[in-house]
Amino acid sequence: MNTVDAVWGVGRATIGPLVKLFAPLRNYGPERVPPEGGVVLAFNHFSWIDPPAFGTCSPRTIHYLAKSEIHSHFGLGQLIRAFGTRSVRRGESDREAVRAMREIVRDGHALGLFVEGTRQKTGVPGEAMSGAGMVVLQEEVPVVPAAIYGSYEWRAWNHHPISIAWGVPMTFEGLPRTGKGYRQASAQIQDEIHRLWRWLGEVHALGRPATATPPP
């Protein structure tokens, strides 16, 4: 076990229970995440609670990217770096972020990407940027789409329930390693995230059963 995995082990025993206390979680389909090897975990994003919620529900250590401004915050920066989060600079060429993403999956880790690039303020998932598709095609690794539901309404004081659904791994062997291929792959990833999010809406309407299987 490396240092980052050890930190995640401590985090799951400490931060994880706090997340579950303030945001009652349901976790559907985590067994779909490959247990080892490079993989992209593609998420939608509404709230700052999303990264720890996905981290709590994921069976794998997640390697995130975060803007350098966040890394510069005293305390928070040290904390997220301990969890393996990489820094990328705002306004720089996308090459830096792409290089970091490719290194993560090439080293056999799980890369966590919020595919819309920023939090969505409309309450519904947005359009996926091409980064996830680019990494999947260039490094020939699978992507597991996952959706979070309920975090848009969540606040630290209201304990609004949150649920996460994991999709089946996707690969795109037939697509070219070009801008068009990256966009096509990302569009398919986006469709799966939206489909999982809509399914979670139905699950919440049914009272969030303890067990349920996300659509294949």
Side-chain angles (χ1 to χ4, degrees):
M1 178 182 291
N2 60 36
T3 302
V4 172
D5 287 332
V7 171
W8 271 77
V10 174
R12 285 193 174 94
T14 55
I15 299 175
L18 288 175
V19 173
K20 293 176 181 178
L21 176 64
F22 286 97
L25 290 175
R26 285 280 191 264
N27 191 20
Y28 301 106
E31 68 280 356
R32 292 174 166 178
V33 177
E36 58 185 17
V39 63
V40 175
L41 307 179
F43 309 137
N44 65 305
H45 193 15
F46 294 124
S47 166
W48 65 265
I49 195 65
D50 297 345
F54 277 114
T56 299
C57 291
S58 172
R60 294 276 300 272
T61 293
I62 301 177
H63 293 251
Y64 288 116
L65 301 182
K67 294 187 290 289
S68 57
E69 297 95 311
I70 298 176
H71 281 263
S72 66
H73 287 200
F74 180 75
L76 178 59
Q78 289 88 336
L79 177 64
I80 63 176
R81 282 193 294 276
F83 278 85
T85 301
R86 301 276 195 98
S87 173
V88 292
R89 288 172 287 185
R90 184 194 296 269
E92 291 285 323
S93 167
D94 288 340
R95 293 177 186 173
E96 179 186 10
V98 171
R99 187 183 307 115
M101 292 188 292
R102 293 184 66 178
E103 287 177 356
I104 289 169
V105 298
R106 194 179 302 142
D107 290 340
H109 301 307
L111 168 67
L113 282 183
F114 292 101
V115 296
E116 301 134 323
T118 188
R119 288 180 292 177
Q120 300 302 294
K121 299 179 180 180
T122 62
V124 298
E127 181 179 355
M129 302 179 73
S130 61
M134 181 183 297
V135 175
V136 169
L137 287 175
Q138 288 183 345
E139 296 299 324
E140 298 181 341
V141 296
V143 55
V144 176
I148 190 166
Y149 189 99
S151 65
Y152 180 75
E153 295 86 1
W154 179 89
R155 301 293 183 271
W157 57 85
N158 69 7
H159 291 216
H160 193 279
I162 294 174
S163 299
I164 288 173
W166 304 86
V168 296
M170 305 170 66
T171 56
F172 306 98
E173 291 87 352
L175 294 182
R177 298 181 187 179
T178 63
K180 181 179 180 180
Y182 305 152
R183 290 190 295 272
Q184 288 178 330
S186 294
Q188 292 182 44
I189 294 167
Q190 171 188 306
D191 289 346
E192 284 302 303
I193 291 174
H194 288 208
R195 188 166 73 108
L196 290 166
W197 181 81
R198 291 192 297 269
W199 178 80
L200 283 173
E202 297 171 0
V203 168
H204 273 235
L206 294 172
R208 293 203 313 159
T211 59
T213 302

